[in-house]
Amino acid sequence: MKKFEGVTDEALALLYVKGNNSAFDELLARTQSKLFTYIMFVVHDHDIADDIFQETFVKVITKLQHGQYTDSGKFMFWITRIAHNCIMDWYRQQQSQHIVEPNEDNDLQNLSGASVLDSYRESELVNEQVLIDVKRMMDALPAPQREVVYMRYYQQLSFKEIAMLTGVSINTSLGRMRYALLNMRRMAKEHNIELALN
């Protein structure tokens, strides 16, 4: 609306608190697209996003009318926070509706302790073997490739950090990693080694 041109969102909110309903209409027109896009991005469902959007604005109106807004220069941040809380409430409600009560079919007490421990130990042994195989393949790599793999996966360094530590460009670090992974895949294929952890 022309009459509110140049008026900040914060000033519009305070005008609405003083009884100017058209100030709220302008505020809604300015913020609804951004707010709905944010909600939709989180929930991925148009109908749910619409419900949460409406609930958000009901809360915005209520909080404004109860004097729970102070002009901090961040009105959009304030309503986005309210929307976030509404989304979290919706997720909590969904979780509480999907609580599964134990019965004879799904009660974990019906599992025998030995079978659970046996399957856990089997997974543990498979994982140990995979890590041994990976170590052997790493040892077979050329030193520059082995170094990059170690720094990236064991020391969790970024490629920028690896480049700085090894005195090469980021592209060279990335290239070495690429060739290391290709070589390790080739070795795994040649020796029929399964590299999936359980």
Side-chain angles (χ1 to χ4, degrees), residues 8 12 16 20 26-27 39 44 57-58 69 76 81 108 113 119 127 163 166 168 173 175 190 195:
T8 65
L12 287 171
Y16 170 68
N20 187 333
E26 173 68 13
L27 202 51
I39 296 167
H44 299 288
F57 264 94
V58 166
Y69 174 74
M76 191 65 205
R81 184 74 193 156
L108 293 178
S119 66
N127 289 346
T166 57
V168 298
S173 294
E190 285 173 3
L195 293 178

Side-chain angles (χ1 to χ4, degrees), residues 36 39-40 42-50 90:
F36 187 82
I39 296 167
M40 185 67 185
V42 177
V43 300
H44 299 288
D45 182 292
H46 195 278
D47 293 335
I48 293 166
D50 200 37
W90 179 81

Side-chain angles (χ1 to χ4, degrees), residues 106-139:
N106 70 3
D107 192 348
L108 293 178
Q109 291 177 356
N110 293 336
L111 293 173
S112 76
S115 70
V116 171
L117 288 175
D118 288 347
S119 66
Y120 174 77
R121 183 65 190 137
E122 183 182 332
S123 290
E124 208 174 48
L125 288 170
V126 168
N127 289 346
E128 284 173 12
Q129 186 58 51
V130 167
L131 294 175
I132 289 167
D133 292 337
V134 167
K135 175 96 173 69
R136 272 196 205 123
M137 286 187 289
M138 274 181 65
D139 290 342

Side-chain angles (χ1 to χ4, degrees), residues 14 23 37 49 56 64 66 86 98 116 118 121 133 140 143 152 172 175:
L14 296 174
T37 301
T56 299
L64 285 171
H66 288 106
C86 290
H98 292 97
V116 171
D118 288 347
R121 183 65 190 137
D133 292 337
R152 182 76 181 122
T172 301

